[in-house]
């Protein structure tokens, strides 16, 4: 398989982390949005949405969107619950991550750390992303006060998806020590066998 990826993207980290845990052989090709590579014609021909990650299977078929890639790779493994309700929980948190978490926690970090995004870092935008990102962390913290993981009693794709941007949230100005249950969960995710850091490329 080939994974078109960007080393500092949490969305790209998700499939890299899962593939490391599964021991799947993969060739990683860096395609950076910072330099406009994702918008070049040869890449747009592969993914018209002009975004990474993009997974190319051995037979040439391609799959985009980080959480869709997670679900594809996790099929039949310990990372996708077999229990119907727990699988539903995994889907719930995957949707939460993309709609209520990533648009604020990841975006605020990008606004503050990527030079090409600096012009977008208006006081209003920073205020909204801080407020809504903290709301997402509060929702997670409340759930984790009574649950070790997000979909059952073991690590799943839901945890991998939420870990990707949560573990670097402080780079976006979020104070994780205000969410002790989240901090404890981060430690449990990192203690799971096969864990690799965000800059791992295989």
């Amino acid at each position: 398989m080939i994974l078109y990826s960007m080393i500092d993207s949490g969305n790209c980290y998700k499939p890299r982390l899962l593939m490391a845990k599964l021991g799947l052989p993969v060739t990683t090709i860096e395609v950076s949005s910072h330099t406009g590579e994702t918008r070049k014609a040869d890449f747009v021909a592969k993914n018209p949405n002009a975004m990474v990650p993009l997974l190319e299977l051995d037979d040439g078929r391609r799959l985009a969107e980080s959480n869709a890639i997670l679900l594809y790779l996790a099929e039949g493994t310990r990372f996708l619950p077999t229990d119907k309700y727990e699988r539903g929980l995994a889907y719930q948190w995957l949707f939460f991550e993309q709609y209520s978490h990533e648009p604020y926690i990841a975006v605020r970090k990008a606004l503050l750390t990527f030079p090409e995004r600096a012009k977008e870092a208006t006081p209003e935008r920073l205020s909204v992303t801080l407020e809504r990102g903290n709301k997402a962390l509060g929702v997670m913290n409340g759930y984790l006060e009574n649950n070790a993981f997000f979909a059952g009693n073991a690590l799943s794709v839901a945890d991998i998806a939420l870990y990707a941007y949560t573990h670097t949230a402080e780079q976006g100005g979020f104070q994780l020590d205000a969410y002790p249950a989240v901090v404890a969960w981060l430690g449990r995710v990192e203690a799971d066998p096969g864990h690799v850091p965000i800059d791992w490329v295989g």
Side-chain angles (χ1 to χ4, degrees), residues 147-164:
N147 298 276
F149 297 101
F150 282 101
N153 296 318
L155 189 101
S156 75
V157 290
D159 300 283
I160 290 174
L162 285 163
Y163 177 83

Side-chain angles (χ1 to χ4, degrees), residues 96-171:
F96 170 88
E97 188 268 339
Q98 284 291 281
Y99 285 104
S100 301
H101 180 280
E102 191 270 357
Y104 308 112
I105 293 176
V107 168
R108 195 170 202 275
K109 175 191 169 187
L111 293 173
L112 293 173
T113 62
F114 295 163
E116 69 272 17
R117 299 290 299 273
K119 63 181 178 297
E120 303 171 43
T122 63
E124 294 79 11
R125 187 102 185 265
L126 291 175
S127 176
V128 168
T129 51
L130 183 65
E131 176 188 354
R132 295 183 183 176
N134 276 316
K135 179 182 178 182
L137 290 169
V139 171
M140 292 169 62
N141 197 76
Y143 186 81
L144 290 167
E145 287 176 344
N146 299 301
N147 298 276
F149 297 101
F150 282 101
N153 296 318
L155 189 101
S156 75
V157 290
D159 300 283
I160 290 174
L162 285 163
Y163 177 83
Y165 282 112
T166 302
H167 87 289
T168 60
E170 290 183 337
Q171 296 177 30

